[in-house]
Amino acid sequence: MEYDRYGGPEELEIRTVTRPQPGAGEVLVRVHGTSVNPIDVSIRSGGMRIM
């Protein structure tokens, strides 16, 4: 899921993205799981715009 503007859940989109290519001194890490923190919801909905 990705979003590129503030708003409710209707702003979330499933997108296919290209695999990043690590540069010199970088590594590519495979993520097996993730979560959503309450602050993430606040940021996405625009509640933290002032910061």
Side-chain angles (χ1 to χ4, degrees):
M1 299 300 287
E2 286 190 341
Y3 67 96
D4 55 14
R5 59 189 160 275
Y6 296 116
E10 67 280 355
E11 301 299 336
L12 298 173
E13 291 184 36
I14 296 176
R15 298 180 187 163
T16 301
V17 296
T18 58
R19 181 181 296 228
Q21 297 297 317
E26 298 179 335
V27 296
L28 183 62
V29 177
R30 181 176 295 188
V31 177
H32 290 276
T34 186
S35 65
V36 177
N37 187 307
I39 194 71
D40 297 325
V41 175
S42 180
I43 290 169
R44 186 194 48 78
S45 66
M48 303 293 285
R49 266 188 247 202
I50 292 174
M51 300 176 116

